[in-house]
Amino acid sequence: MNKTTSDDSGLVSLPSAWPFPPTVERLCESITAAGYHVFSRVDHAANAAHAGITLRPTELVLLGNPRVGTELMLDQQRVGLDLPSKVLVWQDGQDKVWLTYNTAAWLVQRHGLGEGGSAAATALEGTLAQVCGQAASE
């Protein structure tokens, strides 16, 4: 599977082998199987439609695990601004579906995390890579 990263933005984007709806469902199933909780799903395209605007399929999945999130906040409580974690599933102009999430390095740099927080951020990124990879692959 191709992985597109942008170090300066702190984002990882993975292409999905699946259409949009199955990608979102597979992501949620992978999150739950990994022991994380899906807190919410925000359907940006549906919200745009309510405003009379057309947006390609775009859904934000908010997820978390208190053991990981709490470790991050014990290091720097303000990291709670970026919790729960998020994965954006979106469809581009060529109908390709992508999953995008934040890197550990971005969280560490943005919040000045120390050793404990850095380890938790790295573990979180590993889980995000795993669940996104499972959702996106055939």
Side-chain angles (χ1 to χ4, degrees):
M1 169 131 327
N2 293 331
K3 177 174 153 178
T4 303
T5 62
S6 178
D7 293 332
D8 59 341
S9 71
L11 299 174
V12 174
S13 293
L14 295 167
S16 178
W18 299 90
F20 186 82
T23 298
V24 175
E25 292 309 317
R26 290 169 57 88
L27 175 63
C28 292
E29 290 168 5
S30 294
I31 290 167
T32 302
Y36 279 62
H37 179 70
V38 175
F39 289 112
S40 184
R41 293 169 54 174
V42 180
D43 187 338
H44 289 304
N47 290 333
H50 289 301
I53 304 167
T54 301
L55 177 66
R56 290 186 301 271
T58 307
E59 190 163 334
L60 184 67
V61 178
L62 290 98
L63 65 132
N65 180 319
R67 293 185 184 278
V68 177
T70 302
E71 279 299 317
L72 289 164
M73 289 185 283
L74 286 171
D75 187 316
Q76 291 291 336
Q77 199 162 359
R78 67 178 179 246
V79 78
L81 179 65
D82 291 308
L83 298 174
S85 298
K86 302 166 231 21
V87 176
L88 184 69
V89 183
W90 54 283
Q91 185 173 304
D92 68 19
Q94 289 73 48
D95 295 330
K96 182 72 183 157
V97 176
W98 295 86
L99 297 97
T100 301
Y101 58 89
N102 291 319
T103 65
W106 181 83
L107 280 173
V108 169
Q109 188 277 327
R110 177 176 175 154
H111 296 287
L113 296 175
E115 189 175 319
S118 294
T122 299
L124 173 60
E125 183 178 352
T127 298
L128 292 172
Q130 173 192 334
V131 300
C132 289
Q134 289 170 347
S137 64
E138 290 188 64

